[in-house]
Amino acid sequence: MSHPDEGTIQALLDGELEPAERARVETHVGSCSACAARVAEARAFQLEADRLVEVLAVPSLPARARGASPGRRTVVRTLAWAASILLAVAVGYWGRGAEPGQAVVLQEGERPSGGRDAAAPMSPPASGSTPTAPPPATTTAPAPRAEAKSADQPVANAPRPALQPAERDLLDARANEVAAKAARQVDEPAAAWRVVSMEEGVRLLGGQIRLIDGLAPDRVETGPGTAVSGADPSLPLVRVIYASGSVTLDQQRPATQVAARRETAAEAATGATAGANVTAWQERGGIRFAITGSVPADSLRALGARVR
Amino acid sequence: MTLDLAALFREHHDSLVRVLYRRTGDRDRAEDIAQETFARAVAAPPRNPRPWLFAVALNLVREDGRKAVRQGRRLELYRAESPQSSPAADQVLERSDDVRAVQEALATLPERDREALLLKAEGFNYDEIAETLGLAKGAVGTTLSRARRRLVEAYRMQGGRHVAS
């Protein structure tokens, strides 16, 4: 066979080759000193890199996890976190599939975060070496798979120790906390929002409701400003819902236009993370608005340009 | 589909926080993002929890990082242990230096390389790494090989000492 590429050598060391390929590679490495040297070098890098990563042990549990009273930051984070659950549920995004979602704050010229880079190309096979001497036996021994690591595997991750009862109780308590908060939000989403007429929406907003040009709204709802990240918590929100909730246009009329102008879109959007794509809050004609939707980032940006 | 959140916590919480801490260098931030991730799992129980949890968490890190850049926020690279569990002061300083050196070396890696390395350290196999990071499985070996090499070289470039085995 030809010389194995870098990825194949790494897969050999990580125990990720299928038996037939592994046998072929081992046979080749056993008779090719150049490849044996490459395997040994890769193994050395693997050993040292894994030890470096192990240096980064997580510091001890934070104060709140040890039972201390939660500070203001914790409370704020918890509220923001609960709000994010509400928003995720409200937009119906997460119920539509199990794909990992991304909260995207869209800004002009920013690349949507949904796009991952293309897969790394495989290195071309090395060539030109001539088998001269058998390699050291250790260089051809692949590391076992992660789920079946042997004790003599030096680069294996340390097995996770069994949880102590106190740790287990702590994790259970925190899991219950997460579940309880999520359940409250899921069970009572309607409590925060109610359907209103367009006229009442105009009255609550204190100005003409903004609409997405070319789209027919399903309905208008109103809810508290605390329900959406980036919104002014002291003002009611008016939400125009399109496409059965797939796209929502949240809007508020700032108490003072001076304050609204002072606040940049980027600053206003810092809390907007809830699973679906979310545009930055922006102010146009005295109304602040943001669009949330389970649609591609580019589509959401285009919708934002059509707000009238 | 129901979700046994307690079981999910026990199974993945520590590992998730560890990856997030290594990724961000900030323990509190790691805890926050882990909680956010589990909350999302409650909202939409995933079919394959481990890759899902880590994919969502790493996406949140990336988004949070972009916001941090916009806000000019400085990332905290290291936070010392609490006094009750701290070793001697000189050991803390030495370890702190080492942690910082590794963090800085890790930060020089491309995002995907760094995350693949951290997931591998948590025992992810190639299939799981590929699923979590959206890579082709055939590219995982090359990615890990490159990541390990770059990490070691970056660490050595900083004059970092070899970590005792």
Side-chain angles (χ1 to χ4, degrees), chain B residues 147-164:
Chain B
R148 285 163 167 154
R149 183 184 299 268
R150 285 182 176 177
L151 175 65
V152 171
E153 289 174 350
Y155 181 74
R156 290 175 180 170
M157 285 285 288
Q158 296 173 21
R161 63 178 175 79
H162 285 255
V163 180

Side-chain angles (χ1 to χ4, degrees), chain A residues 213-289:
Chain A
D213 193 22
L215 283 186
D218 291 347
R219 62 187 183 276
V220 178
E221 294 183 354
T222 184
T226 53
V228 175
S229 296
D232 184 336
S234 65
L235 295 173
L237 271 167
V238 172
R239 168 173 287 180
V240 183
I241 297 172
Y242 296 90
S244 302
S246 297
V247 174
T248 59
L249 172 58
D250 291 327
Q251 44 202 297
Q252 291 181 309
R253 183 180 179 85
T256 67
Q257 299 305 307
V258 174
R261 281 193 294 272
R262 192 183 303 135
E263 188 175 36
T264 67
E267 287 169 343
T270 53
T273 58
N277 288 340
V278 185
T279 65
W281 279 86
Q282 51 191 294
E283 191 257 335
R284 196 180 299 166
I287 302 292
R288 295 177 73 240
F289 65 89

